[in-house]
Amino acid sequence: QVQLTESGGGSVQAGGSLRLSCLASAYSYRTNCMTWFRQVPGKGREGVAAITEDGAVTYYVDSVKGRFAISRDNAKMMTYLQMNNLGPEDTATYFCAANGYRCFTDWYLEGRVSYWGRGTQVTVSS
């Protein structure tokens, strides 16, 4: 089992940046595709970004391409989400997730997630 703990959320003005971090508890983290999801009240979770277990390949939802960057440091068991040029539409609770041994083409579906973090709130004001 992998426990995930997010940090780095907060409030920022539009155009600003935040960096989210996710610490994994288990060595098996290193063999997992890691993802970030976000959720606003009343809606399901939206897959935002994914990174393969070796960090070689990344995937993004269209709405964040060019603004967000996912990365990982397997030695530290950390996954990061650098978010730049934030807008009010990025306001959500962000969740770190472990998707299992590979990033499938449908990595952005909640059903692909094996383990979830508890989430961290990001609020962007205009």
Side-chain angles (χ1 to χ4, degrees):
Q1 185 163 350
V2 179
Q3 290 186 331
L4 304 171
T5 304
E6 304 96 336
S7 61
S11 298
V12 65
Q13 289 189 327
S17 299
L18 283 173
R19 187 193 196 202
L20 305 183
S21 300
C22 172
L23 175 64
S25 65
Y27 181 83
S28 57
Y29 149 88
R30 304 179 188 206
T31 62
N32 271 260
C33 166
M34 295 299 295
T35 53
W36 285 95
F37 282 70
R38 64 187 179 186
Q39 186 176 28
V40 297
K43 293 190 176 181
R45 295 182 184 185
E46 173 191 32
V48 174
I51 186 167
T52 54
E53 61 277 12
D54 60 358
V57 183
T58 57
Y59 306 90
Y60 299 94
V61 67
D62 285 347
S63 60
V64 307
K65 284 180 180 177
R67 301 189 298 123
F68 289 13
I70 188 171
S71 61
R72 66 191 296 166
D73 184 335
N74 284 349
K76 297 180 179 179
M77 298 200 292
M78 295 290 293
T79 308
Y80 305 98
L81 186 67
Q82 177 66 43
M83 305 186 294
N84 298 324
N85 193 23
L86 286 161
E89 67 276 12
D90 297 312
T91 295
T93 301
Y94 283 72
F95 297 89
C96 177
N99 275 40
Y101 74 97
R102 61 173 289 189
C103 291
F104 290 91
T105 55
D106 57 355
W107 59 267
Y108 51 87
L109 297 180
E110 291 185 58
R112 280 296 182 189
V113 173
S114 300
Y115 302 103
W116 292 99
R118 292 188 174 183
T120 185
Q121 178 67 34
V122 171
T123 302
V124 184
S125 58
S126 58

